[in-house]
């Protein structure tokens, strides 16, 4: 079975939901980090570097939309990773707020794991290809800089 990412952070106040999602991802060989609220999620992010984050909108201590916004505004976050917001309410205003806060996608509960996994694959695949593109551009810039230095020394 193909693995698209190495790690996922699952943020949900409902322990059963966290455990169910964790079991599905672990079965695919992923490293799973979990948090039960927005504040705990930011603490987990300070210690780990997940490839994607799945976060419920309704959380104690700090809700998912506020947490997403804080993560996206945090200049100490050195890399961008996709965030999928999970919600039990298909309220359009809430979804717009989540997107405005910086989430990359959302999914309405209840959902099938395969549906979520397809979203994860799409987002992580996009971010990995974008990262490779940026790395290639950086390598090309370094090579050009090296050529200029060599040329100017001659």
């Amino acid at each position: 079975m193909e693995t698209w990412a190495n790690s996922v952070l699952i943020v949900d106040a409902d322990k059963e939901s966290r455990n169910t999602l964790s079991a599905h991802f672990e079965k695919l060989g992923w490293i799973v980090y979990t948090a039960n609220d927005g504040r705990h999620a930011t603490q987990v992010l300070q210690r780990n570097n997940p490839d994607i984050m799945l976060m419920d909108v309704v959380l104690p201590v700090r809700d998912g939309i506020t947490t997403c916004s804080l993560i996206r505004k945090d200049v100490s976050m050195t890399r961008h990773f996709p965030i999928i917001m999970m919600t039990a309410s298909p309220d359009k205003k809430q979804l717009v707020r989540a997107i405005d806060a910086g989430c990359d996608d959302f999914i309405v509960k209840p959902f099938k794991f395969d549906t979520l996994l397809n979203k994860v694959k799409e987002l992580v695949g996009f971010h990995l290809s974008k990262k490779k593109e940026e790395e290639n551009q950086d390598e090309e810039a370094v090579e050009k800089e090296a050529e200029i230095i060599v040329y100017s020394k001659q």
Side-chain angles (χ1 to χ4, degrees):
M1 193 172 292
E2 195 165 330
T3 301
W4 288 82
N6 294 328
S7 59
V8 58
L9 170 56
I10 299 167
V11 186
D12 199 316
D14 183 63
K15 186 176 181 177
E16 187 176 328
S17 293
R18 282 194 319 269
N19 290 343
T20 300
L21 285 173
S22 294
H24 281 294
F25 280 102
E26 287 170 347
K27 197 175 197 180
L28 295 174
W30 290 39
I31 297 168
V32 177
Y33 307 105
T34 61
N36 61 354
D37 64 53
R39 184 172 295 142
H40 185 212
T42 54
Q43 292 169 348
V44 172
L45 284 172
Q46 290 170 353
R47 294 186 311 266
N48 302 287
N49 215 1
D51 295 303
I52 191 162
M53 182 177 189
L54 310 175
M55 183 164 44
D56 195 5
V57 171
V58 179
L59 296 169
V61 183
R62 184 186 305 136
D63 69 85
I65 293 172
T66 302
T67 302
C68 182
S69 180
L70 290 171
I71 290 167
R72 293 300 192 223
K73 291 176 183 174
D74 186 348
V75 293
S76 69
M77 289 281 175
T78 56
R79 72 179 191 94
H80 184 84
F81 54 89
I83 298 174
I84 297 177
M85 299 298 291
M86 303 179 294
T87 180
S89 168
D91 176 33
K92 289 181 182 178
K93 287 181 183 179
Q94 187 182 61
L95 299 177
V96 168
R97 284 183 44 235
I99 291 169
D100 287 346
C103 83
D104 298 277
D105 203 347
F106 59 88
I107 191 164
V108 178
K109 294 178 179 181
F111 53 80
K112 293 184 179 183
F113 181 73
D114 289 343
T115 304
L116 175 64
L117 188 59
N118 286 335
K119 287 179 176 280
V120 168
K121 286 179 180 180
E122 186 177 309
L123 283 171
V124 172
F126 172 77
H127 282 270
L128 290 177
S129 66
K130 189 174 178 182
K131 183 179 176 184
K132 276 188 177 182
E133 210 174 275
E134 289 170 358
E135 287 173 356
N136 288 340
Q137 289 174 351
D138 289 346
E139 287 176 18
E140 288 174 10
V142 168
E143 287 176 12
K144 285 181 183 178
E145 188 176 317
E147 288 174 14
I148 291 169
I149 291 169
V150 169
Y151 180 75
S152 62
K153 286 186 177 182
Q154 292 178 352

